[in-house]
């Protein structure tokens, strides 16, 4: 369409590309714009505003004829604000160009590019008869801005209007199906792809690969991939990413190897998936090689690759390397924060994880449920009830207060921090409890040896109609084990088959421990021999531990032989055997075990204890004199020893597994790390304050007996978490009932 403009001569001329002489056959009346017409807009061809309006220059009229589609298309492309688009749209209405599908499509696309989704929809709705290009534009707008449901709604309306999709429609619709994800809708679209003859279109087929991969149907994605006649880098990236995201990293790496053999050029997107795959298979060596490759390609600062590298090094325990990548990002996004916090939490850097979480929220970065669970895990590892309460209080002010997975993590956190009562409070306030929530609370009771409460909760779970799983029974068996409920534990183990649950090695080891600690060692051995699966390390370890309690040397040696064959470089197995020999006072065999350990280059883990005072953790190891208040600590320790002897306490000298004389034995016993932690706690806290201590090894019999009496002498509750369970000491008694 051509329109003649009457223009004031003093203004800048129209760009030459749009200016043509007025048609000779045309008269002014045919092309003249009404006198009321006047508009101003920013032109991409001049720095100032261009104003067009009708006027005369002296007695002369100036006529310019131009191609309206090209002219307005250029103006639309140069627009940077919504106001520009509004002015152009208004002039299209004035000039009667509102029915130009080409220009309205351009306006919809421009609105989408500038982020004005609602405005794009308004212009679309004002167009009476949209063609496939305009439909594609509005679907693209919604899909691009992650409004996937609306994208699919527009596609449905498009079909209802009888407009046939083209090769540009299907990738947009498939992206929306993948984003939701909506597998059923995706299948219907796949059928339409075939009916419209796009089964050989590479772009459409790549969309199908992504759809099925994101919907967890990786086998269907692979079938589409295998049928591709033309495989682009997008095709390879989609299937490799699909396998990596669906928990099949080895297959992802195999296809990547095939891709390399075919000399397909790499891009950073495929390298992100490859790094994730190497991270999942814990192959840091190959992951480092990929890192070197991307440095050579100049891609080391690509944000998504920085995230992948951070996650890889963090998960591999190389937290310093991970942190260097993390701080290369000026403004880390949520995924990067999550990778670093999770890396810290899962590799023993709990305090660093908590500090990073605090830093994140101080910068007004909004965490998601993954962040929350990683931070909660870190708090559980720190073991501080004060820190746990802070985390719970923070979550209560967010939208995650009723989030099932977050509350499950809170239950686990409180239980591991020594407060099963707080764990129960979280459990009680959690709506719509699923099996994971019930199981977490049962496991918490088990950790604290509250077997009866665990069983009662299990019955409530059954009444609520929730079906137990393998974790539920593991928690129940642990609770029975720690409470000495042999008959109940035996019945629960055999009830697993009623739910179609096959016991694993952890379930079997709980039963062996349950029988062994109750003195039924022969029954425990027979139980192992009849196991339908190969006994694992935990099973033989439980038997060896029970043999130490009852000094069954021969049976213990047999269990140790099995452990050495399964796990020859685990220090704990040799220490257990040495403890068995020492309890039987077989010092020559103790010496042989130590020689064997030296030959294998193994050293015993040093015992240490942590105590929380005023929100801060203090660490002690056996005989520790490095603390600034060491003199006061040992004075308190001597005072406690005197009061213990006056109360009739007799040291359990067999707890010292060395061939020492009586005086050396008693001195060593009172210097154990948990005894030092208790002494420090008594001089550093107000009377009646609960002392909370974490020990990395299993508490010895002597310290257990002494702590019971100390709790009565000083009128304190003392909560000790050792390598196996929690002990709550109060009024001269322990929650374990001396069954541990």
């Amino acid at each position: 369409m051509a329109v003649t403009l009457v223009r004031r001569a003093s203004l800048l001329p129209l760009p030459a590309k749009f200016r043509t002489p007025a048609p000779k056959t045309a008269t002014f009346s045919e092309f003249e714009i009404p006198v009321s017409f006047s508009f101003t807009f920013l032109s991409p061809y001049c720095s100032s505003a261009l104003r067009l309006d009708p006027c005369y220059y002296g007695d002369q009229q100036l006529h310019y004829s131009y191609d309206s589609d090209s002219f307005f298309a250029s103006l639309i492309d140069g627009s940077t604000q919504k106001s520009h688009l509004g002015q152009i749209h208004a002039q299209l209405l004035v000039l009667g160009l509102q029915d130009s599908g080409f220009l309205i499509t351009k306006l919809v696309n421009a609105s989408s590019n500038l982020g004005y989704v609602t405005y794009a929809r308004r212009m679309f709705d004002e167009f009476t008869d949209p063609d496939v290009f305009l439909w594609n534009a509005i679907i693209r707008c919604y899909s691009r801005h992650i409004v996937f449901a609306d994208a699919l709604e527009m596609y449905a309306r498009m079909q209802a209007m009888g407009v046939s999709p083209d090769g540009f429609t299907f990738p947009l619709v498939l992206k929306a199906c993948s984003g939701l994800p909506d597998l059923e809708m995706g299948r219907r679209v796949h059928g339409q792809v075939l009916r419209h003859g796009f089964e050989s279109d590479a772009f459409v087929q790549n969309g199908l690969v992504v759809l099925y991969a994101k919907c967890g149907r990786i086998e269907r994605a692979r079938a589409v991939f295998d049928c591709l006649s033309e495989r682009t880098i997008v095709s390879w990236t989609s299937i490799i990413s699909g396998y990596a995201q669906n928990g099949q990293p080895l297959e992802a790496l195999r296809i990547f190897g095939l891709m390399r053999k075919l000399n397909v050029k790499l891009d950073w997107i495929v390298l992100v998936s490859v790094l994730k795959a190497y991270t999942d298979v814990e192959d840091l060596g190959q992951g480092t090689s990929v890192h070197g490759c991307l440095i050579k390609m100049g891609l080391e600062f690509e944000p998504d690759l920085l995230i992948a590298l951070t996650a890889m090094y963090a998960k591999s325990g190389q937290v310093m390397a991970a942190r260097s990548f993390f701080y290369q990002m000026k403004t880390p996004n949520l995924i990067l924060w999550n990778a670093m916090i999770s890396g810290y939490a899962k590799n023993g850097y709990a305090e660093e994880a908590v500090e990073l979480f605090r830093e994140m929220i101080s910068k007004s970065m909004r965490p998601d449920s993954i962040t929350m669970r990683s931070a909660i895990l870190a708090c559980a590892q720190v073991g501080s009830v004060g820190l746990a309460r802070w985390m719970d209080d923070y979550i209560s002010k967010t939208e995650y207060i009723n989030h099932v997975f977050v509350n499950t993590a809170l239950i686990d956190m409180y239980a591991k921090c020594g407060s099963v009562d707080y764990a129960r409070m979280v459990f009680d306030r959690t709506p719509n409890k699923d099996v994971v929530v019930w199981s977490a609370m049962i496991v918490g009771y088990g950790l604290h040896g509250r077997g009866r409460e665990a069983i009662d909760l299990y019955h409530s779970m059954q009444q609520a109609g929730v079906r137990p799983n393998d974790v539920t029974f593991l928690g129940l068996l642990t609770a029975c084990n720690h409470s000495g409920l042999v008959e109940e534990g035996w019945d629960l183990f055999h009830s697993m088959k009623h739910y179609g649950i096959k016991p694993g090695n952890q379930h079997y080891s709980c039963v062996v421990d349950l029988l062994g600690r109750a003195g039924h060692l022969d029954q425990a051995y027979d139980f192992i021999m009849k196991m339908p699966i190969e006994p694992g390390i935990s099973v033989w370890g439980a038997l060896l531990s029970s043999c130490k309690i009852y000094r069954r040397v021969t049976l213990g040696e047999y269990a140790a032989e099995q452990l050495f064959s399964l796990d020859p470089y685990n220090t704990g197995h040799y220490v257990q055997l040495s403890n068995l020999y020492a309890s039987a006072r077989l010092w020559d065999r103790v010496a042989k075990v130590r020689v064997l350990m030296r030959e294998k280059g193994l050293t015993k883990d040093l015992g240490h204890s942590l105590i929380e005072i005023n929100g801060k953790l203090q660490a002690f190891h056996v005989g520790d004199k490095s603390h600034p208040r060491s003199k006061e600590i040992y004075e308190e320790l001597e005072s406690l020893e005197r009061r213990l002897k006056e109360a009739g306490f007799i040291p359990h000298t067999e707890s010292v597994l060395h061939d020492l004389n009586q005086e050396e034995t008693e001195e060593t016993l009172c210097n154990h790390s948990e005894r030092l932690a208790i002494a420090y706690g008594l001089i550093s806290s107000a009377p009646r304050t609960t002392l909370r201590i974490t020990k990395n090894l299993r508490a010895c019999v002597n310290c257990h007996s002494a702590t019971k009496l100390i709790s009565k002498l000083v009128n304190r509750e003392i909560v000790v978490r050792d390598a196996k369970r929690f002990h709550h000491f109060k009024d001269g008694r322990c929650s374990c009932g001396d069954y541990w």
Side-chain angles (χ1 to χ4, degrees), residues 418-689:
S419 182
V420 72
D421 294 328
Y422 279 132
R424 183 58 191 255
M425 287 173 59
V426 177
F427 173 83
D428 289 337
R429 78 183 187 214
T430 303
N432 305 317
K433 302 176 184 67
D434 62 7
V435 64
V436 180
V437 177
W438 287 95
S439 299
M441 192 65 241
I442 290 171
V443 169
Y445 278 135
L447 191 61
H448 289 263
R450 293 165 69 163
R452 293 295 179 189
E453 284 136 307
I455 294 174
D456 289 343
L457 190 63
Y458 171 62
H459 293 321
S460 298
M461 175 182 173
Q462 290 177 306
Q463 292 172 0
V466 179
R467 189 179 180 87
N469 61 14
D470 58 326
V471 178
T472 314
F473 282 103
L474 185 60
L476 287 166
L477 292 172
T478 301
C480 293
N481 183 18
H482 289 167
S483 305
L485 303 177
V486 179
E487 185 176 341
E488 291 86 345
W490 185 258
D491 290 341
L492 284 165
F493 174 79
H494 287 286
S495 72
M496 292 176 68
K497 61 187 176 184
H498 300 316
Y499 296 97
I501 301 172
K502 292 183 178 180
N505 261 294
Q506 286 183 300
H507 299 93
Y508 284 109
S509 65
C510 277
V511 175
V512 171
D513 207 29
L514 178 69
L515 295 171
R517 290 186 183 279
H520 307 302
L521 287 165
D522 292 329
Q523 186 180 350
Y525 174 75
D526 292 339
F527 178 78
I528 294 173
M529 292 298 103
K530 295 177 182 178
M531 281 175 56
I533 62 175
E534 193 69 26
I537 295 170
S538 59
V539 173
W540 292 113
L543 183 62
L544 178 56
S545 180
S546 298
C547 288
K548 186 263 177 183
I549 297 172
Y550 294 98
R551 300 176 188 174
R552 290 284 297 272
V553 175
T554 302
L555 184 57
E557 286 178 329
Y558 178 77
E561 288 175 6
Q562 308 307 311
L563 286 168
F564 296 157
S565 64
L566 291 171
D567 193 12
Y569 292 99
N570 188 318
T571 304
H573 307 326
Y574 297 90
V575 172
Q576 274 194 306
L577 181 59
S578 177
N579 291 348
L580 170 61
Y581 287 146
S583 66
R585 310 194 75 79
L586 299 173
W587 303 114
D588 56 332
R589 299 190 190 183
V590 171
K592 289 181 180 179
V593 173
R594 290 177 181 166
V595 170
L596 185 59
M597 290 176 65
R598 281 197 297 271
E599 289 176 350
K600 292 182 175 291
L602 304 175
T603 56
K604 180 182 177 181
D605 293 333
L606 294 176
H608 66 263
S609 295
L610 300 173
I611 183 169
E612 179 189 359
I613 299 293
N614 298 325
K616 294 183 178 180
L617 294 174
Q618 299 285 336
F620 296 91
H621 57 78
V622 61
D624 194 350
K625 294 184 178 181
S626 62
H627 196 277
R629 301 183 67 185
S630 180
K631 182 179 178 181
E632 297 172 73
I633 292 171
Y634 276 90
E635 287 175 353
E636 180 67 21
L637 199 59
E638 290 174 6
S639 173
L640 285 175
E641 290 303 311
R642 284 195 302 270
R643 295 175 68 181
L644 284 170
K645 287 183 179 180
E646 290 170 0
F649 177 73
I650 300 175
H652 190 274
T653 55
E654 288 185 3
S655 294
V656 176
L657 303 178
H658 304 277
D659 190 7
L660 304 175
N661 60 42
Q662 184 69 19
E663 184 177 345
E664 290 173 325
T665 297
E666 292 188 13
E667 182 180 355
T668 300
L669 286 171
C670 72
N671 289 342
H672 279 189
S673 62
E674 58 264 55
R675 301 281 283 278
L676 294 172
I678 290 171
Y680 174 72
L682 292 174
I683 66 173
S684 305
S685 61
R688 298 182 180 275
T689 302

Side-chain angles (χ1 to χ4, degrees), residues 80-278:
T80 58
Q81 298 177 24
K82 183 181 178 182
S83 59
H84 299 165
L85 299 177
Q87 291 177 42
I88 295 169
H89 190 201
Q91 298 313 314
L92 294 182
L93 293 171
V94 170
L95 295 172
L97 299 176
Q98 69 272 17
D99 293 328
S100 171
F102 170 74
L103 291 177
I104 297 301
T105 300
K106 293 284 288 185
L107 278 171
V108 170
N109 282 328
S111 299
S112 175
N113 294 339
L114 294 175
Y116 303 121
V117 178
T118 304
Y119 188 63
R121 176 61 182 269
R122 193 174 79 187
M123 285 189 290
F124 174 86
D125 288 340
E126 290 176 358
F127 198 84
T128 55
D129 189 22
D131 59 12
V132 66
F133 303 108
L134 187 51
W135 282 106
N136 286 349
I138 194 62
I139 293 172
R140 181 185 296 107
C141 175
Y142 281 129
S143 186
R144 177 179 181 179
H145 292 281
I146 320 180
V147 192
F148 297 127
D150 286 355
L152 294 182
E153 179 190 348
M154 297 307 290
Y155 176 64
R157 285 182 55 187
M158 172 184 172
Q159 290 180 298
M161 296 284 289
V163 179
S164 296
D166 62 12
F168 294 98
T169 313
F170 285 120
L172 298 171
V173 175
L174 289 170
K175 178 185 176 183
C177 293
S178 303
L180 284 173
D182 188 338
L183 178 61
E184 189 57 37
M185 181 64 177
R187 283 174 171 167
R188 292 202 292 268
V189 175
H190 190 176
Q192 292 161 5
V193 166
L194 298 176
R195 284 197 297 273
H196 285 85
F198 289 98
E199 62 271 13
S200 299
D201 188 296
F203 293 105
V204 175
Q205 296 302 308
N206 289 340
L208 287 169
V209 173
V210 173
L211 164 73
Y212 287 121
K214 286 195 174 181
C215 291
R217 300 301 179 90
I218 191 63
E219 72 286 347
R220 295 291 301 274
R222 180 60 180 271
V224 175
F225 176 81
D226 288 341
C227 292
L228 284 174
S229 57
E230 177 190 355
R231 293 173 182 168
T232 65
I233 180 61
V234 177
S235 310
W236 290 98
T237 300
S238 299
I239 193 64
I240 291 171
S241 175
Y243 275 114
Q245 297 296 333
N246 281 277
Q248 297 188 44
L250 291 175
E251 186 62 17
L253 294 172
R254 193 189 71 77
I255 296 177
F256 176 66
L258 178 61
M259 173 185 171
R260 296 295 290 144
K261 288 180 181 178
L262 296 174
N263 294 317
V264 180
K265 187 177 180 180
L266 299 176
D267 64 5
W268 65 268
I269 300 175
V270 74
L271 290 177
V272 169
S273 297
V274 171
L275 282 172
K276 183 187 185 308
Y278 280 126

Side-chain angles (χ1 to χ4, degrees), residues 53-77:
D53 60 358
C55 75
Y56 291 86
Y57 183 65
D59 295 329
Q60 182 182 8
Q61 288 181 330
L62 299 179
H63 295 264
Y64 289 121
S65 177
Y66 74 106
D67 184 303
S68 59
D69 283 356
S70 298
F71 177 69
F72 281 104
S74 291
L75 294 179
I76 293 169
D77 290 341

